[in-house]
Protein backbone atom coordinates (compact mmCIF):
# COMPACT_ATOMS: atom_id res chain seq x y z
CA UNK A 1 0.00 0.00 0.00
CA UNK A 2 2.93 2.32 0.68
CA UNK A 3 6.40 2.51 -0.77
CA UNK A 4 9.45 1.66 1.30
CA UNK A 5 11.37 4.35 3.15
CA UNK A 6 14.95 5.17 4.06
CA UNK A 7 16.87 4.64 0.83
CA UNK A 8 18.04 8.19 1.36
CA UNK A 9 18.65 9.64 4.83
CA UNK A 10 19.51 13.26 5.57
CA UNK A 11 20.98 14.00 8.99
CA UNK A 12 20.92 17.58 10.25
CA UNK A 13 22.36 19.11 13.41
CA UNK A 14 19.74 21.79 13.75
CA UNK A 15 16.69 22.89 11.81
CA UNK A 16 13.50 24.83 12.53
CA UNK A 17 11.37 21.72 11.97
CA UNK A 18 12.16 18.59 9.96
CA UNK A 19 8.62 18.86 8.54
CA UNK A 20 9.36 22.37 7.21
CA UNK A 21 12.67 21.20 5.77
CA UNK A 22 11.00 18.24 4.06
CA UNK A 23 8.18 20.42 2.69
CA UNK A 24 10.74 22.79 1.13
CA UNK A 25 12.59 19.91 -0.54
CA UNK A 26 9.28 18.60 -1.84
CA UNK A 27 8.45 22.01 -3.35
CA UNK A 28 11.82 22.12 -5.03
CA UNK A 29 11.12 18.67 -6.46
CA UNK A 30 14.47 17.44 -5.18
CA UNK A 31 13.32 14.37 -3.34
CA UNK A 32 13.54 10.64 -3.63
CA UNK A 33 10.24 9.20 -2.26
CA UNK A 34 10.84 7.65 1.15
CA UNK A 35 13.59 10.11 2.06
CA UNK A 36 14.04 10.43 5.81
CA UNK A 37 15.21 13.68 7.36
CA UNK A 38 16.37 13.55 10.95
CA UNK A 39 17.63 16.39 13.14
CA UNK A 40 19.40 16.45 16.49
CA UNK A 41 17.57 19.60 17.42
CA UNK A 42 14.55 21.60 16.25
CA UNK A 43 14.18 25.26 17.10
CA UNK A 44 10.49 25.29 16.13
CA UNK A 45 9.36 21.68 16.48
CA UNK A 46 5.66 21.44 15.82
CA UNK A 47 3.06 19.18 17.40
CA UNK A 48 -0.55 18.52 16.50
CA UNK A 49 -3.13 21.30 16.65
CA UNK A 50 -0.70 24.25 16.89
CA UNK A 51 1.13 22.72 19.86
CA UNK A 52 4.92 22.94 20.05
CA UNK A 53 7.06 19.81 20.25
CA UNK A 54 9.88 20.41 22.67
CA UNK A 55 12.84 18.08 22.89
CA UNK A 56 16.29 18.34 24.47
CA UNK A 57 19.04 18.53 21.81
CA UNK A 58 20.47 15.19 20.69
CA UNK A 59 18.23 13.15 22.96
CA UNK A 60 15.29 12.11 20.84
CA UNK A 61 14.25 10.83 17.44
CA UNK A 62 12.99 13.84 15.49
CA UNK A 63 12.41 13.03 11.87
CA UNK A 64 10.19 13.38 8.84
CA UNK A 65 9.51 10.94 6.04
CA UNK A 66 8.38 11.94 2.57
CA UNK A 67 5.69 9.86 0.88
CA UNK A 68 4.57 10.18 -2.70
CA UNK A 69 1.28 8.51 -3.56
CA UNK A 70 0.22 7.20 -6.95
CA UNK A 71 -3.49 7.30 -6.42
CA UNK A 72 -4.54 8.06 -2.86
CA UNK A 73 -8.05 9.50 -2.57
CA UNK A 74 -8.39 12.24 0.05
CA UNK A 75 -11.00 10.00 1.72
CA UNK A 76 -8.29 7.38 2.33
CA UNK A 77 -5.71 9.59 3.95
CA UNK A 78 -6.24 8.06 7.40
CA UNK A 79 -4.56 4.88 6.13
CA UNK A 80 -1.14 6.50 6.21
CA UNK A 81 -1.75 7.64 9.75
CA UNK A 82 -2.69 4.07 10.74
CA UNK A 83 0.38 2.62 9.04
CA UNK A 84 2.73 5.03 10.79
CA UNK A 85 1.24 4.45 14.24
CA UNK A 86 1.45 0.70 13.69
CA UNK A 87 5.05 0.85 12.55
CA UNK A 88 6.05 2.83 15.66
CA UNK A 89 4.36 0.20 17.85
CA UNK A 90 6.12 -2.62 15.98
CA UNK A 91 9.47 -0.88 16.23
CA UNK A 92 9.07 -0.35 19.98
CA UNK A 93 7.88 -3.90 20.51
CA UNK A 94 10.98 -5.20 18.71
CA UNK A 95 13.25 -3.40 21.13
CA UNK A 96 11.29 -4.72 24.09
CA UNK A 97 8.75 -1.99 24.80
CA UNK A 98 5.05 -2.97 24.91
CA UNK A 99 3.44 0.03 23.24
CA UNK A 100 -0.12 0.76 22.18
CA UNK A 101 -1.69 3.26 19.79
CA UNK A 102 -3.72 6.05 21.31
CA UNK A 103 -6.24 7.06 18.67
CA UNK A 104 -5.55 8.42 16.17
CA UNK A 105 -1.79 8.10 16.11
CA UNK A 106 -0.09 8.83 19.41
CA UNK A 107 1.86 5.99 20.94
CA UNK A 108 1.63 5.12 24.62
CA UNK A 109 3.58 2.89 26.98
CA UNK A 110 1.89 2.21 30.31
CA UNK A 111 -0.48 5.09 29.54
CA UNK A 112 2.42 7.53 29.01
CA UNK A 113 3.15 9.16 25.67
CA UNK A 114 6.35 8.01 24.00
CA UNK A 115 5.72 9.18 20.43
CA UNK A 116 3.65 11.62 18.40
CA UNK A 117 3.00 12.07 14.70
CA UNK A 118 2.27 15.15 12.61
CA UNK A 119 1.20 14.42 9.03
CA UNK A 120 0.97 17.22 6.47
CA UNK A 121 -0.60 16.28 3.14
CA UNK A 122 -0.29 17.98 -0.22
CA UNK A 123 -3.61 17.67 -2.07
CA UNK A 124 -4.50 18.22 -5.73
CA UNK A 125 -7.48 17.17 -7.81
CA UNK A 126 -9.16 15.12 -5.07
CA UNK A 127 -5.99 13.14 -4.44
CA UNK A 128 -3.27 13.22 -1.82
CA UNK A 129 -0.16 13.69 -3.97
CA UNK A 130 2.43 13.58 -1.22
CA UNK A 131 2.73 13.61 2.55
CA UNK A 132 5.31 14.82 5.02
CA UNK A 133 5.11 12.54 8.03
CA UNK A 134 6.78 14.06 11.08
CA UNK A 135 7.57 11.64 13.87
CA UNK A 136 8.87 12.41 17.33
CA UNK A 137 9.89 9.43 19.45
CA UNK A 138 11.30 10.08 22.91
CA UNK A 139 14.55 8.15 23.03
CA UNK A 140 17.18 9.07 25.62
CA UNK A 141 15.57 11.99 27.43
CA UNK A 142 15.04 11.20 31.11
CA UNK A 143 13.37 14.32 32.44
CA UNK A 144 10.12 15.67 31.08
CA UNK A 145 8.12 18.70 32.09
CA UNK A 146 4.99 16.60 32.11
CA UNK A 147 4.49 13.40 34.10
CA UNK A 148 2.56 11.80 31.25
CA UNK A 149 5.61 11.37 29.00
CA UNK A 150 8.16 8.60 28.81
CA UNK A 151 11.10 7.56 26.63
CA UNK A 152 12.86 4.44 25.37
CA UNK A 153 15.62 4.95 27.90
CA UNK A 154 13.18 5.38 30.77
CA UNK A 155 11.39 2.19 29.81
CA UNK A 156 14.48 0.04 29.16
CA UNK A 157 16.92 1.73 31.52
CA UNK A 158 19.40 1.70 28.66
CA UNK A 159 20.95 4.31 26.34
CA UNK A 160 20.57 3.62 22.63
CA UNK A 161 22.23 5.65 19.85
CA UNK A 162 19.60 7.64 17.95
CA UNK A 163 20.83 6.68 14.49
CA UNK A 164 20.65 2.98 15.29
CA UNK A 165 17.12 3.46 16.53
CA UNK A 166 16.26 5.26 13.31
CA UNK A 167 17.55 2.35 11.18
CA UNK A 168 15.48 -0.04 13.29
CA UNK A 169 12.38 2.07 12.81
CA UNK A 170 12.96 2.16 9.04
CA UNK A 171 13.34 -1.64 9.08
CA UNK A 172 10.07 -2.06 10.99
CA UNK A 173 8.18 0.22 8.63
CA UNK A 174 9.52 -1.56 5.56
CA UNK A 175 8.70 -4.98 6.98
CA UNK A 176 5.17 -3.90 7.72
CA UNK A 177 4.58 -2.33 4.34
CA UNK A 178 5.63 -5.59 2.70
CA UNK A 179 3.28 -7.55 4.94
CA UNK A 180 0.15 -5.40 4.76
CA UNK A 181 -1.48 -5.34 1.34
CA UNK A 182 -5.04 -4.19 1.87
CA UNK A 183 -7.11 -1.71 3.79
CA UNK A 184 -8.75 -4.63 5.66
CA UNK A 185 -5.41 -5.98 6.87
CA UNK A 186 -4.31 -2.52 7.90
CA UNK A 187 -7.54 -1.93 9.79
CA UNK A 188 -7.42 -5.22 11.71
CA UNK A 189 -3.76 -4.73 12.64
CA UNK A 190 -4.53 -1.18 13.77
CA UNK A 191 -7.50 -2.20 15.92
CA UNK A 192 -5.45 -4.96 17.50
CA UNK A 193 -2.91 -2.41 18.69
CA UNK A 194 -5.39 0.30 19.66
CA UNK A 195 -5.47 1.23 23.33
CA UNK A 196 -9.00 0.85 24.70
CA UNK A 197 -10.36 -1.25 21.84
CA UNK A 198 -13.25 -3.33 23.19
CA UNK A 199 -12.51 -2.12 26.72
CA UNK A 200 -14.66 0.08 28.90
CA UNK A 201 -12.78 3.25 29.79
CA UNK A 202 -13.55 6.80 30.86
CA UNK A 203 -13.98 9.40 28.12
CA UNK A 204 -15.11 12.99 27.94
CA UNK A 205 -17.14 14.61 25.19
CA UNK A 206 -19.01 17.93 25.03
CA UNK A 207 -21.68 16.46 27.31
CA UNK A 208 -19.28 15.42 30.04
CA UNK A 209 -17.61 12.28 31.30
CA UNK A 210 -18.85 8.83 30.49
CA UNK A 211 -17.80 5.19 30.42
CA UNK A 212 -17.42 4.12 26.80
CA UNK A 213 -16.05 1.35 24.66
CA UNK A 214 -14.20 1.80 21.36
CA UNK A 215 -15.88 -0.55 18.92
CA UNK A 216 -14.36 0.59 15.64
CA UNK A 217 -12.57 3.32 13.70
CA UNK A 218 -14.29 4.58 10.56
CA UNK A 219 -12.48 4.74 7.20
CA UNK A 220 -12.34 8.53 7.52
CA UNK A 221 -10.52 8.14 10.84
CA UNK A 222 -13.40 8.96 13.16
CA UNK A 223 -13.49 7.00 16.40
CA UNK A 224 -16.61 4.92 17.02
CA UNK A 225 -17.44 4.63 20.69
CA UNK A 226 -20.31 2.81 22.31
CA UNK A 227 -21.90 5.29 24.69
CA UNK A 228 -24.95 4.21 26.67
CA UNK A 229 -25.61 1.46 24.13
CA UNK A 230 -25.39 3.82 21.12
CA UNK A 231 -22.50 3.91 18.62
CA UNK A 232 -21.26 7.51 18.39
CA UNK A 233 -18.70 8.74 15.83
CA UNK A 234 -16.19 11.26 17.06
CA UNK A 235 -13.81 13.61 15.29
CA UNK A 236 -10.45 14.46 16.73
CA UNK A 237 -11.40 17.37 18.96
CA UNK A 238 -14.72 15.92 20.04
CA UNK A 239 -13.57 13.28 22.51
CA UNK A 240 -10.75 12.72 24.94
CA UNK A 241 -9.68 9.61 26.70
CA UNK A 242 -9.25 10.17 30.42
CA UNK A 243 -6.08 8.38 31.41
CA UNK A 244 -6.20 7.64 35.11
C1 LIG B 1 2.22 15.47 18.46
O1 LIG B 1 1.79 16.56 18.84
O2 LIG B 1 2.02 14.45 19.10
C2 LIG B 1 3.01 15.37 17.17
C3 LIG B 1 4.46 15.59 17.40
C4 LIG B 1 5.28 15.49 16.14
C5 LIG B 1 6.71 15.90 16.40
C6 LIG B 1 7.60 15.63 15.23
S1 LIG B 1 9.32 15.83 15.63
C7 LIG B 1 9.75 15.71 13.94
C8 LIG B 1 8.69 16.45 13.15
N1 LIG B 1 9.01 17.85 13.03
C9 LIG B 1 8.14 18.63 13.69
O3 LIG B 1 8.20 19.87 13.77
N2 LIG B 1 7.19 17.88 14.29
C10 LIG B 1 7.38 16.47 13.99
Amino acid sequence: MFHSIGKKIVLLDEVDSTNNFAAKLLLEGKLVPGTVIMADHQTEGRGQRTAVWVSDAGENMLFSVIFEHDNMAVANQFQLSQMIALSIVHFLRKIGIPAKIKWPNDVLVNKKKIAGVLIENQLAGGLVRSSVVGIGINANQLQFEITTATSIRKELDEFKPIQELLYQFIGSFNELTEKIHSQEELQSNYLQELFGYKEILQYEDDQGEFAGEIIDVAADGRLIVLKNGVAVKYDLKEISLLLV
Side-chain angles (χ1 to χ4, degrees), residues 17-19 42 45-48 53 63 106 113 116-117 134-136:
S17 150
T18 55
N19 269 33
Q42 298 185 125
R46 292 187 283 116
Q48 291 156 12
W53 187 259
F63 62 103
D106 278 354
K113 180 159 165 169
V117 179
I135 303 175

Side-chain angles (χ1 to χ4, degrees), residues 30-186:
K30 281 186 190 162
L31 275 172
V32 181
T35 296
V36 175
I37 296 139
M38 182 155 91
D40 268 354
H41 183 54
Q42 298 185 125
T43 52
E44 287 168 51
R46 292 187 283 116
Q48 291 156 12
R49 296 184 247 163
T50 72
V52 289
W53 187 259
V54 188
S55 160
D56 290 352
E59 302 274 78
N60 298 316
M61 297 170 74
L62 308 168
F63 62 103
S64 300
V65 188
I66 313 283
F67 284 87
E68 289 194 350
H69 313 290
D70 286 337
N71 191 18
M72 181 191 269
V74 173
N76 292 336
Q77 59 186 296
F78 184 60
Q79 292 172 10
L80 180 59
S81 182
Q82 288 182 300
M83 188 69 181
I84 296 296
L86 255 183
S87 60
I88 299 172
V89 164
H90 278 234
F91 152 70
L92 290 169
R93 188 111 3 109
K94 273 198 166 175
I95 60 171
I97 298 177
K100 280 281 181 189
I101 298 167
K102 176 172 172 254
W103 176 81
N105 58 17
D106 278 354
V107 178
L108 301 178
V109 183
N110 298 325
K111 298 187 185 169
K112 292 186 173 183
K113 180 159 165 169
I114 195 162
V117 179
L118 175 67
I119 301 182
E120 294 173 308
N121 290 319
Q122 291 71 45
L123 313 179
L127 295 174
V128 184
R129 300 289 171 173
S130 55
S131 312
V132 172
V133 176
I135 303 175
I137 306 177
N138 298 331
N140 290 313
Q141 189 164 328
L142 289 173
Q143 310 276 344
F144 292 93
E145 275 172 20
I146 42 173
T147 54
T148 51
T150 189
S151 65
I152 293 173
R153 186 167 178 186
K154 277 185 88 137
E155 295 302 320
L156 296 179
D157 200 15
E158 189 187 331
F159 170 89
K160 287 188 180 281
I162 304 286
Q163 280 187 36
E164 253 171 53
L165 290 170
L166 181 68
Y167 299 138
Q168 281 171 308
F169 169 79
I170 290 170
S172 291
F173 179 88
N174 289 339
E175 253 174 55
L176 215 60
T177 194
E178 274 181 28
K179 213 180 87 186
I180 294 180
H181 295 112
S182 65
Q183 194 273 332
E184 291 73 26
E185 283 175 335
L186 179 60

Side-chain angles (χ1 to χ4, degrees), residues 4-17:
S4 66
I5 64 167
K7 277 196 201 85
K8 187 160 184 231
I9 299 175
V10 180
L11 299 173
L12 305 168
D13 289 336
E14 189 178 280
V15 70
D16 52 354
S17 150

